């Protein structure tokens, strides 16, 4: 089967990292067309996935854009749609991986007469999207997509509640290669040494720096934790959230936590950095559609504390394979961090349960089989 994947982003967010795992098995039968250049293109190339950048300018419409701004971007979209239509005729299926990719993919699907699959990595609610963007996404998916793959029950529910068709949506979780998360103990000790983390109780936060990812909640919690607790913030402001980055630095200095918070920026050695942590914290203040970092921490056999909302509740069972806390509550988070610091045996059992359940539920080989079956159904039908 020949698949034309579409993604609007040049930057490797969770949806893009997920796409790498889905496209990889198709080798030269896949082509990923991007609407922006950047580090994601290089990651695809490193994984030997054919890639091309179709647009030289980023599309000027954002999640919160209104109808007028949407119309203004049409001029930009027309040549892009044209290119995709021509390309799509060489493929069996168009696979839109983001919202702007859905817009382009829907029209390209209509003109090229190729079926469209939309991979929904978002909770389509007004918390994350403008009313206009919601309406566009739902109407295009309902009218043009043969299949919508939702990355969690939470994303599926939001899609249906916003008016999405129930007969086209299926839940498929993100897949992971469990082997990638097995690390060498001596390498990890060296890494801890390099980062100045020896003798500390390290809480890791792995996410792009953005207000709704709630790094500020973790910093506030840290101020309430014993002094040996240290935080590493792994990730960068991928979509222009520079004001938030500045606020985080201010918060750290106001609370006099400079020696206990390290900003590591965007990193590609996530399994190693997670292995160097004693606990991984997820602190999103809005419901997380899936939460790749949670599964990754589980595969690294690390205890994870996560904000209880959205897809997260499908990943973590409180007290069995992780901890759940109320989103936006630093006091509760600090309490869990302190418990993990003291109750090492129980915490180790929870981390071990986490690894077992995550390797069983999210093995990329099984997830890719599920996707392959759904896609072949679409193409043959
Ligand atoms: N990630 C990364 N480097 C970083 C920070 C994060 O590769 O410095 C990865 C992380 O390991 C995860 C993804 O980015 O696989 C984030 O996915 P998630 O579902 O947690 O959040 P999203 O970005 O999709 O909102």
């Amino acid at each position: 089967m020949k698949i034309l994947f579409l993604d609007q982003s040049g930057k490797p967010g969770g949806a893009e990292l997920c796409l790498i795992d889905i496209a990889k098995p198709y080798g030269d039968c896949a082509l990923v067309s991007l609407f922006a250049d950047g580090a994601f293109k290089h990651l695809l190339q490193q994984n030997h996935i054919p890639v091309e950048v179709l647009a030289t300018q980023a599309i000027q419409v954002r999640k919160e854009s209104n109808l007028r701004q949407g119309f203004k971007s049409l001029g930009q979209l027309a040549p892009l749609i044209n290119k995709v239509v021509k390309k799509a005729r060489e493929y069996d299926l168009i696979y839109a991986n983001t919202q702007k990719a859905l817009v382009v993919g829907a029209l390209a699907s209509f003109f090229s007469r190729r079926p469209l699959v939309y991979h929904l990595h978002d909770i389509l609610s007004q918390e994350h999207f403008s009313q206009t963007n919601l309406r566009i996404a739902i109407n295009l998916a309902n009218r043009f997509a043969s299949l919508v793959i939702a990355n969690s029950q939470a994303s599926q529910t939001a899609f249906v509640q916003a008016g999405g068709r129930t007969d086209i949506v299926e839940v498929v979780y993100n897949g992971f290669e469990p082997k990638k998360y097995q690390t060498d103990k001596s390498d990890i000790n060296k890494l801890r040494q390099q980062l100045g983390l020896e003798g500390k109780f390290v809480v890791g936060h792995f996410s792009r720096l953005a207000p709704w990812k709630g790094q500020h909640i973790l910093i506030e919690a840290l101020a309430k934790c014993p002094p040996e607790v240290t935080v590493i913030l792994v990730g960068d402001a991928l979509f222009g959230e520079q004001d938030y980055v500045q606020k985080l630095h201010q918060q750290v200095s106001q609370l006099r936590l400079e020696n206990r918070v390290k900003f590591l920026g965007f990193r590609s050695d996530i399994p190693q950095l997670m292995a160097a942590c004693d606990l991984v914290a997820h602190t999103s203040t809005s419901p997380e559609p899936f939460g790749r970092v949670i599964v990754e921490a589980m595969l690294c056999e690390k205890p994870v504390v996560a904000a209880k909302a959205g897809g997260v509740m499908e990943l973590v069972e409180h007290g069995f394979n992780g901890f759940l806390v109320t989103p936006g509550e630093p006091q509760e988070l600090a309490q869990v961090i302190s418990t993990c610091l003291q109750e090492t045996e129980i915490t180790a059992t929870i981390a071990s349960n986490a690894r077992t359940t995550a390797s069983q539920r999210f093995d990329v080989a099984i997830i890719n089989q599920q996707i392959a079956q759904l896609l072949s159904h679409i193409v043959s039908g």
Side-chain angles (χ1 to χ4, degrees), residues 61-65 99-100 122 128-131 133-134 208 212:
V61 65
R62 298 175 69 88
K63 282 182 174 179
E64 59 282 1
S65 294
Q99 278 231 17
K100 288 173 202 166
D122 294 302
H128 290 281
F129 295 93
S130 70
Q131 185 62 33
N133 273 347
L134 278 183
R208 58 200 157 86
W212 78 274

Side-chain angles (χ1 to χ4, degrees), residues 12-15 17 176 206-208 212-213 234-236 265-268 270 274 288 290-294 296:
L17 296 171
F176 301 81
F206 298 78
S207 179
R208 58 200 157 86
W212 78 274
K213 291 290 188 180
V234 183
D236 212 345
F266 185 87
R267 303 273 297 224
S268 331
I270 298 298
M274 281 188 173
E288 186 75 57
F290 178 74
R292 290 176 60 83
V293 288
I294 295 168
E296 289 169 330

